[in-house]
Amino acid sequence: MFNFFLLILIYSGIYALMALGQNIITGYGGLLSLTQAGFFAIGSYATAILTTRFGWSFWATLPAALILSAFFGLLIGLPTLRLKGDYLAIATLGFGEIVRNVLNNWDSVTRGPMGIQRIPMPDLFGFTINPYKKYAFLVMVFVFVGIAYFIFQRLARSRMGRALSAVREDEIAAQSMGINITTYKVFAFILGASVAGLAGSLQAVFSLSVTPGTYTFMVSVMVLCMVVLGGMGNFKASILGAFIIQLISYFPQLTGLSSVIPPQFKQILFGLILVVMMIWRPQGLLGREETRYGKKVAKSRKGGAR
Amino acid sequence: MILLETEALTRAYGGVVAVNKVDFVVESGLITGLIGPNGAGKTTLFNNMTGLDVPSSGKVFFNKKNITGLPAHTICRMGIARTFQNIRLFKELTVVENVMIGRHFKTGKSETKGRFLNAINSYVHMKQEEEQIYEKACDWLDFFGMASMKNELAKNLPYGRQRELEIARALATDPKLLFLDEPAAGMNPQETDHLMATIRKIRDLDITVVLIEHDMKLVMNICDTITVLNYGQKLAQGTPREIKHNPSVIEAYLGKEEE
Amino acid sequence: MGIAEFFQHLMNGLTLGGIYALIALGYTMVYGILKFINFAHGDVLMVGAYIGLFLFDWLRGDSPLGLWTLVAFFLAMIVSMGFSAAIGMFIERVAYKPLRKATRLAPLLSAIGVSFILSNGAAWAFGTHSRKFNYPFDNSAIHLGGVVITPHQILILVVSLVIMIILKIFVDKTRMGKAMRATSLDQGTAMLMGISVNRVISMTFAIGSALAAVGGILIALDFKVYATMGTMMGLKAFVAAVVGGIGNISGAMFGGILLGILETFGVAVFGIPTGLKDTIAFGVLILILLLKPEGLFGKVEKEKV
Ligand SMILES: Nc1ncnc2c1ncn2[C@@H]1O[C@H](COP(=O)(O)OP(=O)(O)OP(=O)(O)O)[C@@H](O)[C@H]1O
Ligand SMILES: [Mg+2]
């Protein structure tokens, strides 16, 4: 039971990475991307193939997975981001399906539906991070979550984050303020894609095998749910959302009710969460992150008006 | 000195020629009025000079440089800022954030290029940068007497204040040339008087102002020179006195002047 | 490629395209009026297919192939259209209407939620195995000078053609159709003209969903019925709508047919592996977005500044 709880925590961490990425794209940039699963898959397969075929170490595959998914982010983002927002949703949804299609059919590289097994465990200074001994793995995952959170939070609180917010609020006004909106949108998209790729790498060495069936549209919707439930534009909320959604998805096993609760229960619940949140609490549980300027007013205005 | 100039600028939407071979001149240091009946093509002319729309033909020169068809963000960075006829604030952001966005490309070492990694690399640098942006934004809010509202959401401001905030945001980009699209629309007479004073103050900061306005009292009062558009064409150009007595302008405006 | 082979592929492409067109109409009509992509449209199609299938099996009982089975088929189709229309209106009322004034993202997210509820609800209710339609008539192929046509293809072509003609007449000639066009041009003005925009929107969803049901049932003749069948179909029909110029009814019909033909020829003539067949639609989408984002028949829509 306790072990099971650790497992949920690890998955929460892996999904939290994807949710952080989704939040920068959707929460800050206001762009509806539905393809975290696609980038997740690219990261996973990059690690799986590079370790099993080419004997790379896990750590060496990490940057490769990041760069590869970022590259695909750019590839899909550049044409669609220049256009109206709604197209992006469909284009990315299509992209996710294509990725799965390719994984299923490109037998010589991905081994098709069989997937790739026996991925080596990561190794750190001679210490093997064994996914069966979950503590070490948990620590590793959350180190990554911590780093990603730190970086994203910094970015969001800089003028970059403000520029992205401007793009979300009003593209025309943003342009007229000297902001290159395409650059910022593509940038958000690449960032979001690369953390999803990173999450994919971790997923690969956690389950020690990859199969196309893991990377379905449902994963993208789950990630979206995490961000919407927590609160768009709030990184802490994304992580919180990841925990809650993972708890929900393992609820039947946790409570020992898996024989009673139908397997579609969680997906139906995710769908309901999206609808209900939009109607009754669009800002999510925690709401958009408050900007910090409030505190500074008193201090910086000590001289009073001129 | 001529700061901005258009050469036979034309913008057609299908059959509608919204702007028709217009030669528009802006002298630096003056307040230029752009007037004309509804649908005359004033806003379209603005859009074509600020990069939000691309002319069908003709050219735009700013400081002697051809800026025709450049993207809006580039034109803004060259020193042209604007406001919008239907207010386009970042509604869900605070007042001060709106102005801070105006400072977006104006910071520290990254004057011209967005340096993404800066933010990650150096916390200190970022902090300084943010402080600078914030201070400057607050100065502009002070200029409009809006310092006390800085943490309100933009959408919660009264209408007149929203118009002023849009001007503050535009000014934060340190423009040489400022386009105002109907800045007094929806304002009451006191607010309009106050706005007139503000526009003069802006001119005194060495910023050239071009404004579209239907409020003739305002236009005649503060403009040094006026251009009149009608059906997309330039009808007349001159001092407020000349325009007031120009027969073709009177005809175009017949019955409209009282508005 | 011989003439006969060419016509064979063309025939196959037209059949597939006819179905895409039917589904694309729903996307395009809703987009025209609400400027929003109804993600759940593909899932309404799936629900329509299930309803049609169950009804048909029930009506048909174990009577042998004959006139009755054909009548039962059309009865099932019509009833399913009605049900689906009601479902479409219900979805709009519950999940989209409260969000008309919300941010642009809100209805999209809500639609994704609805889509998920429908597809997983169906998997729960009807099981995850796929089902097959019983043929409503003898489906042995007909040879027409080297071209093989199945009665199904004829049925699909005829039904989609008839429905599209009816729709076109409805939109062009009736009061409701005119109200729809007016609403899609300018909602505010339409309202001032005394058009009940709420009714128009409801009606749009009803028609779109009914057409989706027909599409679903027609696909089910050749493919199977399963809970997630709407996803890929919906995606492709959406591409068809974009190709034709989203918001444009004739454009959606044309886009659907074009996409069907492109897919068939892509696999048969250009040797794209069948496994990657779905990629074609996606490639077409990216291309059209790059080259002519307003679609073949769409107008360039620029936000007024
Ligand atoms: N994006 C567009 N597409 C099609 N027609 C347009 C577009 N923008 C403007 N027009 C048309 O161009 C003409 C000029 O419009 P514009 O907005 O420039 O007028 P204006 O002088 O600013 O009027 P107002 O005083 O009402 O603001 C109008 O006939 C308008 O309908
Ligand atoms: Mg105007």
Side-chain angles (χ1 to χ4, degrees):
Chain A
M1 182 67 200
F2 185 64
N3 233 347
F4 188 60
F5 197 70
L6 287 182
L7 177 112
I8 294 178
L9 278 180
I10 289 171
Y11 274 125
S12 301
I14 291 176
Y15 272 74
L17 282 171
M18 285 197 274
L20 289 171
Q22 182 91 48
N23 186 40
I24 208 152
I25 297 174
T26 310
Y28 274 86
L31 307 162
L32 183 52
S33 157
L34 294 177
T35 189
Q36 285 305 69
F39 299 128
F40 191 43
I42 288 170
S44 281
Y45 270 80
T47 291
I49 293 169
L50 289 173
T51 49
T52 55
R53 282 279 181 90
F54 300 96
W56 289 29
S57 89
F58 164 71
W59 303 104
T61 69
L62 272 187
L66 258 154
I67 290 168
L68 198 67
S69 41
F71 170 75
F72 275 99
L74 184 72
L75 205 68
I76 165 98
L78 265 184
T80 35
L81 287 169
R82 287 167 43 212
L83 300 157
K84 282 246 281 297
D86 313 10
Y87 289 129
L88 180 70
I90 293 280
T92 51
L93 188 150
F95 175 71
E97 290 299 306
I98 299 306
V99 168
R100 226 157 40 85
N101 231 314
V102 170
L103 295 180
N104 260 321
N105 286 288
W106 197 11
D107 292 355
S108 58
V109 174
T110 63
R111 301 188 359 116
M114 280 183 300
I116 297 171
Q117 281 74 32
R118 268 180 277 151
I119 296 169
M121 297 174 192
D123 200 273
L124 190 62
F125 308 123
F127 174 75
T128 303
I129 302 176
N130 184 337
Y132 297 106
K133 304 210 178 68
K134 298 201 168 54
Y135 283 111
F137 207 90
L138 186 66
V139 170
M140 177 172 79
V141 168
F142 273 89
V143 166
F144 281 114
V145 173
I147 294 172
Y149 173 78
F150 179 80
I151 292 175
F152 280 15
Q153 190 72 291
R154 282 278 155 273
L155 282 173
R157 286 183 177 170
S158 72
R159 62 202 195 88
M160 259 229 31
R162 227 174 11 250
L164 263 181
S165 302
V167 171
R168 177 190 71 234
E169 291 286 316
D170 190 326
E171 293 192 4
I172 287 172
Q175 275 173 294
S176 302
M177 292 292 109
I179 295 170
N180 184 342
I181 57 173
T182 309
T183 308
Y184 276 95
K185 288 201 248 177
V186 171
F187 183 64
F189 207 67
I190 289 178
L191 271 182
S194 46
V195 269
L198 172 67
S201 278
L202 292 172
Q203 160 77 28
V205 290
F206 182 57
S207 52
L208 300 180
S209 70
V210 293
T211 49
T214 316
Y215 307 94
T216 56
F217 181 51
M218 191 196 49
V219 171
S220 300
V221 174
M222 262 172 92
V223 173
L224 191 64
C225 251
M226 292 166 179
V227 173
V228 168
L229 181 67
M232 287 191 264
N234 185 332
F235 291 109
K236 279 189 200 76
S238 304
I239 298 176
L240 173 72
F243 276 106
I244 299 177
I245 294 287
Q246 284 299 348
L247 273 180
I248 291 176
S249 62
Y250 286 102
F251 178 77
Q253 289 97 316
L254 266 178
T255 50
L257 294 173
S258 28
S259 53
V260 192
I261 300 173
Q264 287 83 16
F265 148 87
K266 58 177 180 179
Q267 284 98 318
I268 296 176
L269 204 57
F270 298 155
L272 275 174
I273 287 175
L274 282 175
V275 178
V276 167
M277 292 302 279
M278 279 307 112
I279 293 173
W280 280 296
R281 206 176 158 79
Q283 74 274 36
L285 294 176
L286 299 188
R288 193 168 283 286
E289 184 160 17
E290 295 280 328
T291 32
R292 324 154 289 151
Y293 309 110
K295 282 175 270 167
K296 281 163 85 184
V297 180
K299 187 197 99 196
S300 85
R301 290 293 102 190
K302 52 187 179 281
R306 17 166 222 194
Chain B
M1 198 193 79
I2 291 172
L3 184 59
L4 178 132
E5 194 176 8
T6 70
E7 239 180 57
L9 193 84
T10 302
R11 178 59 166 111
Y13 299 107
V16 185
V17 186
V19 173
N20 196 351
K21 298 213 185 79
V22 170
D23 299 317
F24 181 60
V25 179
V26 180
E27 292 271 350
S28 91
L30 302 186
I31 298 177
T32 304
L34 181 61
I35 63 172
N38 289 108
K42 307 177 294 292
T43 300
T44 307
L45 183 59
F46 264 28
N47 292 346
N48 280 276
M49 295 187 293
T50 52
L52 288 179
D53 196 356
V54 182
S56 314
S57 66
K59 292 198 180 88
V60 186
F61 295 94
F62 177 58
N63 265 334
K64 306 266 178 317
K65 272 198 292 285
N66 186 347
I67 59 165
T68 323
L70 291 182
H73 61 91
T74 312
I75 291 181
C76 169
R77 286 164 185 230
M78 294 170 93
I80 303 182
R82 69 170 289 171
T83 65
F84 298 90
Q85 183 170 350
N86 358 307
I87 305 177
R88 300 194 85 110
L89 286 169
F90 305 117
K91 294 196 193 70
E92 302 288 333
L93 304 185
T94 60
V95 168
V96 70
E97 280 176 304
N98 266 274
V99 183
M100 287 171 85
I101 287 168
R103 299 299 299 167
H104 177 73
F105 65 97
K106 280 284 174 189
T107 330
K109 288 181 257 170
S110 35
E111 183 83 27
T112 46
K113 265 210 188 109
R115 298 234 309 246
F116 298 136
L117 291 179
N118 269 351
I120 308 170
N121 283 346
S122 112
Y123 181 56
V124 181
H125 174 89
M126 191 191 93
K127 251 196 128 131
Q128 281 172 352
E129 193 179 274
E130 281 289 288
E131 220 109 275
Q132 280 172 19
I133 296 177
Y134 181 73
E135 290 298 323
K136 198 75 193 195
C138 288
D139 288 347
W140 280 117
L141 286 177
D142 277 347
F143 182 85
F144 285 88
M146 292 172 80
S148 61
M149 305 171 192
K150 54 173 72 108
N151 292 308
E152 302 273 345
L153 290 186
K155 65 172 179 189
N156 294 338
L157 290 188
Y159 193 76
R161 285 303 196 181
Q162 293 196 10
R163 287 233 172 257
E164 289 185 327
L165 176 57
E166 238 199 345
I167 302 176
R169 185 181 69 176
L171 286 170
T173 65
D174 288 344
K176 296 188 202 63
L177 177 58
L178 175 65
F179 285 123
L180 305 175
D181 197 343
E182 303 198 14
M187 284 189 174
N188 63 33
Q190 288 96 311
E191 285 174 327
T192 306
D193 284 345
H194 186 248
L195 177 74
M196 280 200 268
T198 311
I199 292 174
R200 288 205 181 92
K201 255 166 69 188
I202 294 172
R203 194 239 343 249
D204 295 342
L205 293 172
D206 231 9
I207 296 169
T208 307
V209 178
V210 179
L211 57 94
I212 296 176
E213 210 16 274
H214 286 296
D215 183 334
M216 284 306 141
K217 180 170 151 262
L218 183 149
V219 174
M220 295 300 166
N221 244 311
I222 65 169
C223 291
D224 302 304
T225 171
I226 295 173
T227 298
V228 188
L229 286 187
N230 194 23
Y231 293 113
Q233 279 171 321
K234 189 161 98 176
L235 194 63
Q237 181 187 356
T239 62
R241 264 188 86 78
E242 290 162 3
I243 294 298
K244 229 185 262 180
H245 298 108
N246 184 320
S248 53
V249 174
I250 294 171
E251 195 190 317
Y253 262 98
L254 206 64
K256 279 212 132 235
E257 213 168 355
E258 318 306 327
E259 269 187 15
Chain C
M1 182 172 54
I3 284 283
E5 198 187 339
F6 175 81
F7 276 103
Q8 180 70 63
H9 297 319
L10 190 65
M11 189 66 206
N12 297 345
L14 280 175
T15 348
L16 189 61
I19 300 177
Y20 288 156
L22 283 179
I23 309 164
L25 284 168
Y27 280 112
T28 246
M29 288 168 65
V30 168
Y31 194 93
I33 288 179
L34 290 179
K35 302 281 171 282
F36 131 82
I37 300 172
N38 179 13
F39 271 95
H41 190 60
D43 301 285
V44 171
L45 164 161
M46 173 272 302
V47 173
Y50 267 111
I51 296 174
L53 181 131
F54 290 141
L55 272 174
F56 174 61
D57 280 350
W58 177 68
L59 284 173
R60 176 176 196 248
D62 29 53
S63 52
L65 286 185
L67 187 62
W68 167 241
T69 46
L70 199 58
V71 172
F73 177 76
F74 282 111
L75 265 179
M77 186 189 277
I78 289 164
V79 175
S80 164
M81 283 170 81
F83 265 109
S84 305
I87 291 171
M89 287 189 327
F90 177 76
I91 291 171
E92 193 275 329
R93 184 73 193 67
V94 173
Y96 307 151
K97 192 169 175 214
L99 300 174
R100 283 208 202 131
K101 294 218 159 53
T103 56
R104 197 178 44 74
L105 226 47
L108 281 173
L109 290 170
S110 185
I112 293 170
V114 172
S115 157
F116 234 56
I117 295 171
L118 286 179
S119 59
N120 289 290
W124 174 44
F126 310 133
T128 45
H129 60 284
S130 46
R131 297 164 195 252
K132 192 124 182 48
F133 240 94
N134 287 317
Y135 294 143
F137 44 74
D138 178 22
N139 195 36
S140 40
I142 302 165
H143 292 263
L144 273 179
V147 182
V148 184
I149 299 174
T150 63
H152 277 169
Q153 290 184 312
I154 298 173
L155 180 75
I156 291 173
L157 277 178
V158 170
V159 170
S160 38
L161 205 66
V162 167
I163 287 191
M164 282 192 258
I165 291 170
I166 294 176
L167 181 77
K168 191 81 186 136
I169 294 173
F170 173 81
V171 171
D172 286 348
K173 297 277 178 322
T174 63
R175 270 178 71 90
M176 191 62 188
K178 281 178 192 151
M180 277 178 168
R181 280 185 296 151
T183 310
S184 82
L185 278 179
D186 187 335
Q187 229 180 80
T189 313
M191 207 164 334
L192 290 176
M193 293 301 169
I195 292 172
S196 157
V197 170
N198 282 335
R199 262 191 57 208
V200 167
I201 292 174
S202 265
M203 194 67 189
T204 308
F205 273 86
I207 294 176
S209 307
L211 296 184
V214 178
I217 291 172
L218 292 180
I219 306 166
L221 283 178
D222 269 339
F223 302 93
K224 295 195 164 110
V225 181
Y226 51 97
T228 51
M229 69 185 279
T231 312
M232 219 357 122
M233 259 315 178
L235 180 66
K236 288 185 188 171
F238 175 80
V239 173
V242 173
V243 168
I246 193 143
N248 182 319
I249 288 182
S250 317
M253 299 178 187
F254 181 85
I257 306 237
L258 184 70
L259 188 65
I261 290 177
L262 279 178
E263 263 194 6
T264 318
F265 278 81
V267 173
V269 183
F270 303 112
I272 296 170
T274 332
L276 294 180
K277 189 174 142 213
D278 297 341
T279 322
I280 299 173
F282 185 64
V284 170
L285 177 69
I286 296 285
L287 261 178
I288 197 94
L289 288 184
L290 278 175
L291 301 178
K292 206 162 168 15
E294 72 278 10
L296 296 177
F297 303 104
K299 318 184 280 303
V300 188
E301 255 183 61
K302 262 202 103 176
E303 194 177 353
K304 243 190 137 191
V305 185

